[in-house]
Amino acid sequence: MSRESIQRSIVEIVASSGIGGLSVRAVAARSGVAIGTVQHHFPSRSAMITAAMSVVEETAGALEADLPEAPADRLESLVSLLVPSSPDSIPARVWLAFAAQAAVDADVAAQYRRVWGRVHRGLAELFAQARPERSWAAAQDCASEILALADGLAVSVLIEPARVPADSARERARRRLHELLA
Amino acid sequence: MSRESIQRSIVEIVASSGIGGLSVRAVAARSGVAIGTVQHHFPSRSAMITAAMSVVEETAGALEADLPEAPADRLESLVSLLVPSSPDSIPARVWLAFAAQAAVDADVAAQYRRVWGRVHRGLAELFAQARPERSWAAAQDCASEILALADGLAVSVLIEPARVPADSARERARRRLHELLA
């Protein structure tokens, strides 16, 4: 059983049961391997939590992907990545579990800040490229607002899909992005 | 030891350690009472979780308070309640723990939807009163956006106060509110 498939089990457990459901025993059971095998690859709870966040880091990675797109189009793609398309979205569910854990755990908070700081910087650079006549402070400001709006919409889509359906959340974020670029 | 002071301990534990830190034992230790006393007032884990959310429900309660203010001013006060003024904000920390738990627990999700649905409706009514010439759908739309933005800013203030200081988060929410009312 490879490290990757154990990591996949970790991500699935966090998405379905939260950080509270994460234990060596639960990961071993879901992966169908011995507890010792899990411990070999993920020697601590904190190593498991870090592994779960990897699925969220892919959003940050998308910022650096060499997409052949104009900055405004890339911003639109990224906003679509940040607002989940379904309440079952695994990255969004892991992100929310991770955010709640970050509020009470300094190590997780440091990791959260690293990933979300990178997403924010990437968004700010795209705003600056899309509207080079504006200040860097203005670009950072736009990035902060759209990232916060996407995060808040993600919480709504996950927990209140009847009040905030995924499609309307994505449309609202897109509309606000266009206003910020106008 | 009154029910209220045990409830205060529950709120403090969720704010400092998350839902994961909540146990009859931890609540008894923090309140300085016997485990049986905690169990008498809060016979289940779910009763404790419900009690913790009470501190967030006060935000919903503020919507109905008979404040002698114009709708636009009330909206501004409510947005100030929703975006925490400090990373130590107890209601904001309980809200985030509660949101993460709602994503993995149907009973908590139902309670979350009840409270946040009420906040959303209250905000929409204030938007409708402030701008009676617009449609109810438009008022609901404005309420959804400002509530999602406030929630996303709350996550940032709690976990990334260096990137998103509380003052600038509150200012950003206020500015957006004014645009939505313009």
Side-chain angles (χ1 to χ4, degrees):
Chain A
M1 178 65 58
S2 69
R3 189 184 194 284
E4 284 66 34
S5 59
I6 298 175
Q7 179 164 341
R8 201 153 48 234
S9 298
I10 292 173
V11 164
E12 288 165 2
I13 289 171
V14 172
S16 61
S17 314
I19 301 270
L22 200 56
S23 68
V24 173
R25 188 174 298 274
V27 174
R30 188 169 192 117
S31 315
V33 301
I35 284 180
T37 308
V38 175
Q39 285 170 328
H40 169 72
H41 291 292
F42 301 97
S44 65
R45 187 178 159 77
S46 121
M48 291 198 293
I49 293 178
T50 298
M53 190 65 174
S54 65
V55 74
V56 179
E57 291 215 54
E58 285 164 24
T59 302
L63 282 159
E64 282 122 45
D66 193 22
L67 302 171
E69 289 176 11
D73 295 333
R74 278 185 80 158
L75 276 168
E76 190 155 331
S77 308
L78 286 161
V79 166
S80 287
L81 277 175
L82 289 164
V83 183
S85 58
S86 142
D88 302 322
S89 162
I90 285 184
R93 295 173 68 86
V94 170
W95 165 75
L96 179 55
F98 207 83
Q101 186 68 15
V104 298
D105 178 328
D107 289 343
V108 175
Q111 194 183 350
Y112 185 100
R113 281 193 286 265
R114 184 174 55 70
V115 178
W116 241 229
R118 187 168 150 213
V119 171
H120 176 252
R121 233 174 1 260
L123 292 171
E125 278 160 18
L126 289 171
F127 273 108
Q129 285 164 28
R131 293 293 173 267
E133 71 282 9
R134 296 186 194 156
S135 70
W136 175 238
Q140 285 186 301
D141 231 47
C142 288
S144 288
E145 185 182 327
I146 204 75
L147 186 52
L149 179 61
D151 284 349
L153 288 169
V155 176
S156 308
V157 168
L158 293 182
I159 314 175
E160 305 175 273
R163 179 172 76 76
V164 184
D167 284 353
S168 87
R170 290 158 78 90
E171 179 51 34
R172 180 166 289 118
R174 237 188 330 262
R175 208 171 53 212
R176 183 61 187 143
L177 174 64
H178 291 164
E179 287 174 12
L180 289 170
L181 286 170
Chain B
M1 176 68 56
S2 70
R3 189 182 193 285
E4 284 66 33
S5 59
I6 297 174
Q7 179 164 341
R8 203 153 47 234
S9 297
I10 292 173
V11 164
E12 288 165 2
I13 288 171
V14 172
S16 61
S17 316
I19 300 271
L22 201 57
S23 68
V24 174
R25 189 173 300 274
V27 174
R30 188 169 191 116
S31 314
V33 301
I35 284 180
T37 308
V38 174
Q39 285 169 328
H40 169 72
H41 290 293
F42 300 98
S44 66
R45 186 178 160 76
S46 123
M48 292 198 293
I49 294 178
T50 298
M53 189 66 173
S54 65
V55 73
V56 178
E57 291 215 53
E58 285 165 21
T59 301
L63 282 158
E64 282 122 43
D66 193 21
L67 301 171
E69 289 175 11
D73 295 333
R74 278 185 81 156
L75 276 167
E76 189 155 330
S77 308
L78 286 161
V79 167
S80 288
L81 277 174
L82 289 164
V83 182
S85 58
S86 143
D88 302 323
S89 161
I90 284 183
R93 295 173 68 87
V94 170
W95 165 76
L96 179 55
F98 207 84
Q101 186 67 15
V104 298
D105 178 327
D107 289 344
V108 174
Q111 194 182 351
Y112 185 100
R113 283 193 285 266
R114 185 174 55 70
V115 178
W116 241 228
R118 185 169 151 213
V119 171
H120 175 252
R121 236 177 356 264
L123 292 171
E125 278 160 18
L126 288 172
F127 273 108
Q129 286 164 28
R131 294 293 173 266
E133 71 282 10
R134 297 188 195 155
S135 70
W136 175 237
Q140 284 185 301
D141 230 47
C142 289
S144 289
E145 185 182 325
I146 204 74
L147 186 52
L149 179 62
D151 284 349
L153 288 169
V155 176
S156 308
V157 168
L158 293 183
I159 314 176
E160 306 175 272
R163 179 171 77 74
V164 185
D167 284 353
S168 87
R170 290 158 79 88
E171 179 51 34
R172 178 166 292 116
R174 237 187 329 260
R175 210 171 52 213
R176 183 61 187 142
L177 174 64
H178 290 164
E179 287 174 11
L180 289 170
L181 286 169

